[in-house]
Amino acid sequence: MPIADIKQTLQGKMDQSINAFKSNLTKIRTGRANPALLDTVSVDYYGAMLPINQVANVSLLDARTISVQPWEKGMGAKIEKAIRDSDLGLNPSAMGDLIRVPMPIMTEERRKELTKLVRNEGETAKIAVRSLRRDANEAVKKAVKDKLVSEDDQKRTEAEIQKVTDRHIAEIDQVVATKEHDIMAV
């Protein structure tokens, strides 16, 4: 594999890792209601586990309440149970066909727990980026071994791979810091 392809593949995969990390952070709440918070909750729909947004309309009633309107009559209880059983710490209540999901006020202790969770997600993303760096470096070493590139090119490419890795890790740190600030803001 040519060096340019290795670097391009690395860049694309690292960008995907960052995007996955950012989407994982959307499920961590900051005290404000956000319909994306329920994207990770799945509900049993005739034997298949589907995200709530595929069996119901999820929207905001106000700044602290999410509303879930099931598209079928019988899904209300299943959706309510799925939300309650999720690890989000939410307590939905049904009002006819409408399910209201109020955001509880976060205590200082809960905020600290959430910042630990954000840091953990950040470390997971960094591990993924470092793993991609290792894979790219191994691909470069294989290219040298197969005599497709010189050892000088190997050193130069490994330095460029490290710069890309450092840039992505700095971006992860920035996203973690921003999310922690949002969580700790009262």
Side-chain angles (χ1 to χ4, degrees), residues 64-95:
R64 301 193 57 82
T65 310
I66 299 172
S67 73
V68 181
Q69 181 75 40
W71 294 329
E72 292 184 23
K73 287 258 187 218
M75 291 302 296
K78 290 181 181 180
I79 291 172
E80 189 176 355
K81 182 178 181 335
I83 294 170
R84 191 169 282 120
D85 292 347
S86 71
D87 61 349
L88 298 174
L90 300 174
N91 190 21
S93 62
M95 300 180 79

Side-chain angles (χ1 to χ4, degrees), residues 3 6-7 133-134 136-162:
I3 297 294
I6 292 172
K7 290 193 287 190
R133 174 190 61 191
R134 186 194 64 233
N137 283 336
E138 287 175 1
V140 170
K141 287 177 184 171
K142 184 178 183 314
V144 169
K145 185 176 155 188
D146 294 342
K147 298 189 183 340
L148 298 174
V149 295
S150 68
E151 289 185 18
D152 289 342
D153 287 340
Q154 175 189 3
K155 296 293 184 202
R156 194 175 315 112
T157 303
E158 286 176 353
E160 290 172 9
I161 289 170
Q162 185 60 46

Side-chain angles (χ1 to χ4, degrees), residues 31 40 65 76-77 84 91 166 169 178 180-181 184:
T40 59
T65 310
R84 191 169 282 120
N91 190 21
D166 291 344
I169 286 180
T178 302
E180 283 180 353
H181 177 68
M184 294 309 284

Side-chain angles (χ1 to χ4, degrees), residues 10-23:
L10 174 72
Q11 182 71 38
K13 287 183 178 181
M14 283 188 178
D15 288 344
Q16 287 176 342
S17 290
I18 300 268
N19 290 338
F21 166 62
K22 287 178 181 175
S23 77

Side-chain angles (χ1 to χ4, degrees), residues 17-159:
S17 290
I18 300 268
N19 290 338
F21 166 62
K22 287 178 181 175
S23 77
N24 283 345
L25 286 186
T26 61
K27 72 179 181 180
I28 299 173
R29 60 193 176 90
T30 59
R32 294 181 296 274
N34 182 356
L37 187 65
L38 298 178
D39 285 351
T40 59
V41 179
S42 295
V43 65
D44 180 33
Y45 183 73
Y46 299 108
M49 295 304 285
L50 295 176
I52 285 182
N53 61 7
Q54 291 186 10
V55 296
N57 185 24
V58 181
S59 60
L60 290 179
L61 281 178
D62 57 47
R64 301 193 57 82
T65 310
I66 299 172
S67 73
V68 181
Q69 181 75 40
W71 294 329
E72 292 184 23
K73 287 258 187 218
M75 291 302 296
K78 290 181 181 180
I79 291 172
E80 189 176 355
K81 182 178 181 335
I83 294 170
R84 191 169 282 120
D85 292 347
S86 71
D87 61 349
L88 298 174
L90 300 174
N91 190 21
S93 62
M95 300 180 79
D97 289 340
L98 181 70
I99 300 170
R100 297 170 58 99
V101 185
M103 294 291 113
I105 297 172
M106 292 200 299
T107 63
E108 188 69 22
E109 180 181 320
R110 179 67 178 149
R111 290 177 193 277
K112 288 179 180 174
E113 286 176 23
L114 289 176
T115 58
K116 287 179 187 175
L117 184 61
V118 168
R119 286 189 201 118
N120 187 30
E121 288 286 339
E123 282 304 312
T124 303
K126 287 179 187 179
I127 289 168
V129 166
R130 290 181 188 126
S131 175
L132 291 169
R133 174 190 61 191
R134 186 194 64 233
D135 294 345
N137 283 336
E138 287 175 1
V140 170
K141 287 177 184 171
K142 184 178 183 314
V144 169
K145 185 176 155 188
D146 294 342
K147 298 189 183 340
L148 298 174
V149 295
S150 68
E151 289 185 18
D152 289 342
D153 287 340
Q154 175 189 3
K155 296 293 184 202
R156 194 175 315 112
T157 303
E158 286 176 353

